[in-house]
Amino acid sequence: MCVSSVGYPHIIHGSRTDVVTWMFTSIFLHPKRVSLLLYWMVCSVVAAVFSLWQGSATEGDRSNTITRKSFHLVIVVVYIPGLIVDAEFLHLASVCAGAILLLLEAVRVHTVPPLGQHIDSSFKMFVDDKDEGRVILTHIYLLVGLSLPLWITNIRPINGALLPMYSGVISLGVGDTAASVGGVLFGQHKWPGSNKSLEGTVTCAISQALVLGCLTLTGVVSSPLSLPLVVAVVLSSLFEAFTLQVDNLVLPLLTYSLLCMT
C-alpha cells in the first residue's frame, strides 16, 4: 500500500518491517535529524525533571499560572530549532508526539498500572479551569495548536520554514505566555467584559513583535518586518484577550491566517 506523508513520498509495502525500516532510514541516515532528536530528548528529560520537582514542591496542589506557562517556553525551544533545521522532520515528530500523548491520556484515565496513577498526579498539577471533566485535553490542544500550521501548509521550503508555519510558536509559545505572565505581574486594568488585563495584552503584542523581528532580521524567514505584520500581531493579541474559545486551538489558526495575508 502507499503511505502518504507530506515530504516523505515513499512507497511502503504492507509489512510492519518496512514501516520500521522507513522510519529508521528517514531519521538515522540524516545527521541533522539525529541531532534534533537528541536535542528533543534532552528537552523532554528537563521537562520531566521539572514536573517531578514541581510535584514535590506543590504536594499535589495545582501549580500557578506562571509555572504552567513555563511549559509553553519549553515548546518554543523545541519547535523553533525544528522549524529552522528541518520542518518536515518536525511535522513527522509532532504527529508521533500527538499519538504518544493520546496513549498517555488513555493510560491516565483508566489508571493502567504501573504508570496510570503517577501520570494522573503529574497532569492534574498543571490543569486549568477549562479542564473540568475526566479527560484532560489542555496539553493535547497545545500540541495540536502548535502543529496545525505545519500540518495545513502544503508548500515545503527547501531550507527552514515559511513565516506562517511559526504561527503556533509565536501566538502560543510566545504571545499567550507573555500575556499570562504580564497580566499576573503587571495587570492593573481589565478589559471591559474580560478577565484579561490591558497590560497582559500589551506584553503579548510586544513579545510577538520582538520574536517576529528576530526571525526576519536574522534571515530565518524571508519576510521583512512590516506594518502588516505588526497589525497581525496586534489583532492576534486582542483576540487572545477577548476570546472565550479554546485559545490553544483558535489563536494559531487566526495568526496563521493573518500571516498568510501579509
Side-chain angles (χ1 to χ4, degrees), residues 130-199:
K130 296 178 182 178
D131 281 313
E132 296 296 338
R134 186 179 181 187
V135 179
I136 299 176
L137 295 174
T138 296
H139 57 296
I140 298 176
Y141 288 156
L142 177 61
L143 176 68
V144 172
L146 287 160
S147 305
L148 271 176
L150 279 170
W151 297 345
I152 64 179
T153 301
N154 292 323
I155 302 174
R156 289 296 174 200
I158 297 176
N159 295 310
L162 301 173
L163 181 58
M165 296 169 71
Y166 287 85
S167 301
V169 175
I170 293 172
S171 60
L172 294 181
V174 177
D176 186 52
T177 303
S180 296
V181 175
V184 170
L185 297 179
F186 312 113
Q188 298 292 331
H189 306 87
K190 299 293 184 181
W191 287 104
S194 173
N195 62 346
K196 304 293 182 67
S197 67
L198 173 62
E199 292 80 3

Side-chain angles (χ1 to χ4, degrees), residues 16-33:
R16 186 179 304 171
T17 304
D18 288 332
V19 175
V20 175
T21 302
W22 172 73
M23 290 286 290
F24 183 86
T25 56
S26 296
I27 298 173
F28 294 102
L29 294 184
H30 302 274
K32 287 184 178 181
R33 292 181 178 179

Side-chain angles (χ1 to χ4, degrees), residues 189-216:
H189 306 87
K190 299 293 184 181
W191 287 104
S194 173
N195 62 346
K196 304 293 182 67
S197 67
L198 173 62
E199 292 80 3
T201 302
V202 172
T203 307
C204 176
I206 292 175
S207 63
Q208 291 183 84
L210 287 175
V211 171
L212 280 174
C214 291
L215 291 175
T216 56

Side-chain angles (χ1 to χ4, degrees), residues 214-238:
C214 291
L215 291 175
T216 56
L217 293 176
T218 56
V220 173
V221 294
S222 57
S223 303
L225 185 62
S226 58
L227 180 60
L229 286 182
V230 175
V231 172
V233 163
V234 172
L235 291 177
S236 175
S237 301
L238 290 173

Side-chain angles (χ1 to χ4, degrees), residues 60-63 108 119-127 136:
D61 296 331
R62 286 191 179 185
S63 56
R108 185 198 68 81
I119 295 174
D120 183 60
S121 59
S122 298
F123 277 22
K124 283 187 174 178
M125 290 186 302
F126 300 101
V127 299
I136 299 176

Side-chain angles (χ1 to χ4, degrees), residues 78-116:
V78 167
Y79 267 70
I80 285 186
L83 287 165
I84 295 174
V85 175
D86 195 330
E88 290 182 354
F89 185 42
L90 179 60
H91 181 281
L92 174 63
S94 64
V95 173
C96 295
I100 293 172
L101 287 182
L102 289 173
L103 177 61
L104 291 177
E105 182 60 17
V107 171
R108 185 198 68 81
V109 170
H110 296 286
T111 321
V112 178
L115 298 177

